[in-house]
């Protein structure tokens, strides 16, 4: 962030966290996302909905890259606001409150990625994905050019929807995130409320240790907090308590392995931290509504 870009204001003081709407994409109700979900559109494509003013909102289980290619405006993350002009880029993890006001002829490409897909992309990204990032007016021109080219490739692959796009898009997103990391290294950190920061650190710790069957107390200890504060941060950022968030991360990994590998259900159970395949099957059925093998078969048939 440019040092000259000072906070300009706050969200309305009367706005409580529980009043902030959750969307799929702006203006559409939140909904369950498929494994590997990725969506690309421009800000102007939704201009009839927001008319230049996107109010405070958040996305459950979905992160976004927003790359501003023209114009200027105000961008809000949690309780802080910055002025910006193109080129500007942000990365917004799921659960983080954001919004913006833009002037006419301002546009951006928005890449939305389900947390389920982001978990696989994370290991190939140079950017830590647990905290929001906002970069404007900083960085070498060549870095912005590389990011622009990569975002353009993502947009073209998504629009053309040719065979194999689902294999090409995730690596391109990882490259875009890595370009953002290089720009961010020349910028200044975005300060977010303590609960949001703690929720982001929890998300990252769960990603690393969901297979290890840690008790909640181990997460509390590793993060240097209290169980009450950790559960509060988990609800605020991840949309559920700590135990449920760990279970949802295991479910994400199980779905990925069932859909994209030929490993047996037993192997998937062990790989996702379940010592008892029968218990894994009951867990999966309760969460999804069908047994793992049946879910795999249905998804493979529907994709043919």
């Amino acid at each position: 962030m440019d040092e000259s870009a000072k906070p300009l204001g706050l969200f309305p003081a009367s706005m409580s966290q529980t009043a902030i709407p959750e969307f799929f994409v702006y203006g559409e109700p939140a909904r369950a996302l498929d494994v590997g979900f990725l969506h690309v559109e421009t800000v102007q494509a939704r201009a009839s909905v927001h008319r230049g003013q996107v109010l405070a909102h958040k996305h459950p289980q979905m992160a976004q890259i927003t790359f501003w290619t023209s114009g200027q405006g105000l961008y809000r993350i949690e309780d802080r606001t910055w002025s910006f002009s193109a080129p500007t880029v942000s990365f917004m993890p799921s659960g983080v409150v954001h919004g913006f006001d833009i002037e006419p002829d301002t546009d951006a490409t928005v890449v939305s990625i389900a947390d389920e897909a982001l978990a696989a992309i994370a290991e190939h990204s140079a950017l830590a994905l647990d905290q929001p990032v906002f970069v404007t007016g900083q960085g070498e021109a060549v870095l912005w050019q590389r990011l622009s080219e990569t975002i353009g490739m993502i947009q073209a692959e998504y629009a053309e929807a040719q065979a194999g796009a689902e294999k090409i898009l995730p690596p391109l997103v990882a490259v875009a995130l890595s370009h953002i990391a290089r720009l961010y290294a020349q910028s200044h950190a975005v300060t977010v409320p303590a609960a949001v920061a703690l929720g982001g650190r929890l998300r990252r710790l769960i990603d690393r240790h969901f297979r290890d069957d840690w008790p909640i107390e181990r997460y509390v200890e590793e993060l240097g907090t209290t169980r009450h504060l950790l559960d509060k941060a988990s609800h605020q950022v991840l949309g559920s308590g700590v135990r449920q968030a760990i279970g949802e991360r295991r479910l994400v990994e199980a779905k990925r392995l069932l859909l994209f590998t030929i490993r047996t259900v037993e192997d998937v159970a062990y790989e996702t931290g379940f010592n008892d395949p029968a218990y894994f099957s009951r867990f999966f059925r309760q969460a999804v509504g069908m047994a793992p093998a049946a879910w795999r078969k249905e998804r493979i048939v529907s994709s043919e």
Side-chain angles (χ1 to χ4, degrees):
M1 181 176 59
D2 190 333
E3 287 189 67
S4 65
K6 303 297 185 182
L8 297 178
L10 306 175
F11 288 124
S14 61
M15 183 178 291
S16 67
Q17 184 67 33
T18 56
I20 295 171
E22 296 183 346
F23 293 123
F24 160 55
V25 290
Y26 190 75
E28 296 185 22
R31 66 188 194 216
L33 304 177
D34 291 336
V35 176
F37 172 85
L38 192 146
H39 178 268
V40 184
E41 70 175 7
T42 64
V43 165
Q44 285 300 322
R46 207 161 286 272
S48 62
V49 178
H50 58 69
R51 300 184 185 279
Q53 183 180 41
V54 169
L55 301 178
H57 68 285
K58 56 184 177 178
H59 304 283
Q61 306 304 314
M62 186 176 78
Q64 287 186 326
I65 298 169
T66 303
F67 178 54
W68 296 94
T69 53
S70 63
Q72 58 189 344
L74 301 177
Y75 201 94
R76 304 178 182 87
I77 302 174
E78 293 293 339
D79 62 349
R80 303 194 69 187
T81 305
W82 295 270
S83 61
F84 75 89
S85 58
T88 289
V89 68
S90 67
F91 170 75
M92 210 59 50
S94 61
V96 175
V97 180
H98 60 286
F100 54 80
D101 298 333
I102 55 175
E103 296 189 4
D105 301 320
T106 300
D107 205 2
T109 300
V110 182
V111 182
S112 302
I113 317 107
D115 284 348
E116 295 184 345
L118 199 64
I121 292 170
E123 51 194 77
H124 303 290
S125 166
L127 183 70
L129 306 180
D130 55 344
Q131 298 294 327
V133 169
F134 183 77
V135 186
T136 185
Q138 291 284 121
E140 300 172 15
V142 66
L143 297 181
W144 286 108
Q145 181 61 30
R146 289 172 183 169
L147 176 61
S148 178
E149 291 170 355
T150 305
I151 295 292
M153 292 172 68
I154 292 170
Q155 195 169 18
E157 278 291 334
Y158 182 84
E160 293 167 8
Q162 295 186 30
E166 72 283 355
K167 297 183 182 298
I168 294 173
L169 283 167
L172 284 175
V173 171
V175 171
L177 290 167
S178 297
H179 287 324
I180 294 170
R182 290 175 175 175
L183 287 164
Y184 194 48
Q186 303 179 20
S187 183
H188 299 270
V190 174
T191 303
V192 296
V196 175
L198 180 59
R201 290 165 58 210
L202 172 63
R203 186 206 313 273
R204 197 170 183 182
L205 199 60
I206 289 174
D207 279 342
R208 292 201 300 266
H209 295 287
F210 69 90
R211 300 178 181 88
D212 298 334
D213 201 25
W214 279 7
I216 294 177
E217 288 72 20
R218 179 71 183 274
Y219 286 93
V220 171
E221 179 183 349
E222 291 288 330
L223 293 169
T225 186
T226 68
R227 181 156 181 166
H228 170 73
L229 289 176
L230 189 61
D231 199 55
K232 182 178 179 181
S234 183
H235 276 286
Q236 181 172 332
V237 176
L238 306 183
S240 65
V242 179
R243 192 178 302 281
Q244 185 179 343
I246 296 168
E248 289 173 351
R249 181 63 182 87
R250 285 178 159 186
L251 183 64
V252 165
E253 193 68 15
K255 286 180 175 180
R256 286 177 52 213
L257 292 171
L258 288 167
L259 192 59
F260 301 120
T261 76
I262 59 172
R263 299 176 69 167
T264 66
V265 171
E266 283 191 358
D267 281 347
V268 171
Y270 294 133
E271 179 64 23
T272 51
F274 291 89
N275 295 323
D276 180 358
Y279 177 70
F280 165 70
S281 292
R282 291 195 297 272
F283 163 83
F284 193 95
R285 183 188 291 273
Q286 183 177 11
V288 178
M290 62 180 69
W295 181 86
R296 168 188 265 168
K297 182 178 180 180
E298 180 183 85
R299 295 307 298 271
I300 291 174
V301 169
S302 65
S303 65
E304 291 177 348

